[in-house]
Amino acid sequence: MDFLNVALVVLVLIGVWAVVEVALTMRSARKSIDKLTTSANEVIEQAQPIVAKLDGMVDELEPAAKEAVPLLKKAEVSLDTANVSLERVNGILEDVSSVSGTASTVTGAVNRAAETAVSGVASVVSRLKGGASSERVARLEGGEAPERAEKDEEQVPPRYVEYVSVGTQAGEPADAAGDAEEQ
């Protein structure tokens, strides 16, 4: 046999071997593709009920989603209104604060004036009673003289201030005056 014939036989054997190898590979690939297809079909079958439920949920949510935009617009208007109201309340509270501060200042001035008047009257009364003793002036201003505190308390009975409303006379009970005004 010559060299060319041997090479031809070897090439034929290699070709047959390659064809057998391709056939075996195709057969195993076909089995793998079948397993893959079966597994994909099972996943699809399991997912179909879930997809159907999700589809139903989307259908149910669609009307609510259509109403959400107007609700958001109404909420925005409500928030704007609430902000305006809060700004008004803030302005009112600032006015109340300034009025309270002014009233506090006026109250302090009235208290100081009343204290000055009371101390002046107390000093005049104590002078008229027989000379101003430092003990009595101290007692009227809120302090007590240690030696005479007990004696003065025994001699001076407590005094009460009677408030008389407009239209009543001193000594007349306030209820009787109220009844008289109603008639």
Side-chain angles (χ1 to χ4, degrees), residues 50-100:
I50 295 171
V51 170
K53 286 181 182 179
L54 288 175
D55 189 36
M57 288 173 58
V58 168
D59 289 343
E60 290 175 7
L61 289 176
E62 191 173 333
K66 288 179 181 177
E67 293 177 10
V69 173
L71 285 174
L72 288 175
K73 288 181 181 178
K74 287 179 183 178
E76 184 178 349
V77 169
S78 298
L79 286 175
D80 291 341
T81 305
N83 280 338
V84 169
S85 297
L86 286 175
E87 287 175 6
R88 287 181 185 161
V89 167
N90 191 19
I92 291 169
L93 290 177
E94 287 176 0
D95 291 345
V96 167
S97 175
S98 66
V99 168
S100 296

Side-chain angles (χ1 to χ4, degrees), residues 163-183:
Y163 292 98
V164 180
S165 64
V166 177
T168 62
Q169 297 178 1
E172 183 179 345
D175 292 335
D179 293 340
E181 288 178 6
E182 290 177 4
Q183 296 173 355

Side-chain angles (χ1 to χ4, degrees), residues 116-180:
T116 304
V118 166
S119 66
V121 168
S123 69
V124 168
V125 169
S126 67
R127 285 183 192 155
L128 289 176
K129 279 192 160 186
S133 70
S134 62
E135 297 169 356
R136 289 186 184 183
V137 171
R139 203 172 111 228
L140 285 174
E141 290 178 353
E144 288 207 21
E147 310 143 2
R148 306 237 351 177
E150 294 175 8
K151 291 180 185 175
D152 288 342
E153 286 178 9
E154 292 173 4
Q155 293 175 358
V156 179
R159 296 184 183 183
Y160 299 98
V161 176
E162 291 184 25
Y163 292 98
V164 180
S165 64
V166 177
T168 62
Q169 297 178 1
E172 183 179 345
D175 292 335
D179 293 340

Side-chain angles (χ1 to χ4, degrees), residues 17-18 24-26 52-53 99 104 111-112 122 124 136 139 149 167 173 180:
W17 176 77
L24 291 175
T25 303
M26 291 292 281
K53 286 181 182 179
V99 168
S104 174
N111 282 340
R112 284 190 298 278
V124 168
R136 289 186 184 183
R139 203 172 111 228

